[in-house]
């Protein structure tokens, strides 16, 4: 997955968070905007039979999670079991009625035409599933699917953070071998700074890196301070060369 896509996805999550600490709810809201779907929900799963809904953007998304929990079948269950996306382009197809005889009629009655279930995982550890739905049948484009997978990765990162685990991810473009650039919190901090500074994702990341350099600190440590709200950077007034605190 390209670093540009990852930064863009985290930037959209940051916009939804409006400068506040990011959450799975913000990932769901950002996925609706970024992928172009009508609703989203995340379910945390220990096994196909043990799971709990974390967030849904609207009542339809909530019903989708509830139906799958109630009936023990559906795209979410299958995506978690196989560890790969389950893409339902047209839920009204007879194939899906045969595959999920209890879930499919309930989901259609809720007004769902297409449903896309993406595993939420970090490495080999499966945490749950991000469900995206559309009212009208139709596929995701390759770019939309790539974005959806990136939002699922973002949800996994935040779920790990909530559990106190610090996962790593791909390096930010242009950071070479700097190990601090691998921390997922760098992306989160970039998204938060985008809102705080009213800048582009590229400018927000440049500001984060410049602060770390100016204060002789590791990029990951500065990012963590931003995410945990111990550090807030302000836009520099014209001609102001201070550190921005």
């Amino acid at each position: 997955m390209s670093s540009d896509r990852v930064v863009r996805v985290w930037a959209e999550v940051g916009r939804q968070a409006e400068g506040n600490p990011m959450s799975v709810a913000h990932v769901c809201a950002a996925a609706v905007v970024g992928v172009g779907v009508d609703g989203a929900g995340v379910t945390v799963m220990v096994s196909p039979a043990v799971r709990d809904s974390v967030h849904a953007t609207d009542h339809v998304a909530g019903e989708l999670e509830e139906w799958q929990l109630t009936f023990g079948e559906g795209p979410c269950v299958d995506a978690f079991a196989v560890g790969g996306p389950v893409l339902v382009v047209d839920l009204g197809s007879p194939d899906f009625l045969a595959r999920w005889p209890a879930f499919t009629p309930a989901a259609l009655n809720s007004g769902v035409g297409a449903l896309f279930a993406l595993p939420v995982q970090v490495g080999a550890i499966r945490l749950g599933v991000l469900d995206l739905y559309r009212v009208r049948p139709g596929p995701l484009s390759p770019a939309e699917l790539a974005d959806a997978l990136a939002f699922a990765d973002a949800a996994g990162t935040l779920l790990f953070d909530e559990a106190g685990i610090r996962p790593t991810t791909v390096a930010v473009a242009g950071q070479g071998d700097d190990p601090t650039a691998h921390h997922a919190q760098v992306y989160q901090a970039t998204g938060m700074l985008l809102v705080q500074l009213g800048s582009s994702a590229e400018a927000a990341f440049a500001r984060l890196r410049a602060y770390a350099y100016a204060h002789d600190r590791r990029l990951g440590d500065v990012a963590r301070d931003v995410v945990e709200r111990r550090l807030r950077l302000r836009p520099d007034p014209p001609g102001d060369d201070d550190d921005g605190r």
Side-chain angles (χ1 to χ4, degrees):
M1 186 177 297
S2 72
S3 295
D4 287 346
R5 171 167 275 111
V6 174
V7 170
R8 178 164 49 78
V9 162
W10 278 111
E12 185 58 48
V13 177
R15 274 188 283 267
Q16 296 297 325
E18 298 181 339
N20 296 308
M22 292 182 237
S23 70
V24 172
H26 298 132
V27 173
C28 290
V32 171
V33 175
V35 180
V37 293
D38 294 305
V42 168
T43 294
V44 172
M45 306 178 72
V46 177
S47 71
V50 181
R51 54 193 183 277
D52 185 36
S53 296
V54 174
H55 182 76
T57 57
D58 55 68
H59 75 280
V60 175
E63 286 181 347
L64 287 173
E65 306 304 325
E66 181 179 350
W67 296 141
Q68 296 182 92
L69 177 64
T70 300
F71 300 128
E73 63 180 36
C76 173
V77 179
D78 288 5
F80 182 80
V82 303
V86 175
L87 309 177
V88 181
V89 174
D90 184 356
L91 190 61
S93 168
D95 291 342
F96 296 119
L97 180 59
R99 184 172 177 178
W100 306 304
F103 166 77
T104 300
L108 288 170
N109 191 56
S110 292
V112 176
L115 182 57
F116 314 102
L118 301 311
V120 172
Q121 58 189 50
V122 176
I125 302 174
R126 298 179 192 172
L127 302 174
V129 175
L130 169 65
D131 283 325
L132 308 175
Y133 83 86
R134 282 176 174 161
V135 172
R136 296 182 179 277
L140 295 176
S141 69
E144 288 171 338
L145 177 57
D147 285 349
L149 292 169
F151 282 113
D153 285 348
T157 295
L158 292 175
L159 288 173
F160 256 48
D161 279 353
E162 289 174 5
I165 304 170
R166 308 289 185 187
T168 60
T169 185
V170 297
V172 177
Q175 296 312 292
D177 296 326
D178 181 359
T180 61
H182 293 260
H183 286 285
Q185 283 191 325
V186 171
Y187 294 117
Q188 299 179 53
T190 299
M192 292 178 70
L193 288 178
L194 178 146
V195 176
Q196 292 176 13
L197 303 176
S199 67
S200 66
E202 292 78 9
F205 176 72
R207 182 66 180 280
L208 184 72
R209 189 183 182 192
Y211 183 94
Y213 180 82
H215 292 79
D216 194 25
R217 298 185 61 194
R218 291 165 60 92
L219 181 61
D221 292 339
V222 174
R224 186 173 300 114
D225 282 350
V226 171
V227 170
E228 296 179 1
R229 307 186 79 179
R230 292 191 294 268
L231 172 64
R232 183 181 180 90
L233 304 183
R234 300 189 305 270
D236 284 333
D240 190 352
D241 294 322
D242 68 14
D243 63 17
R245 291 194 72 163

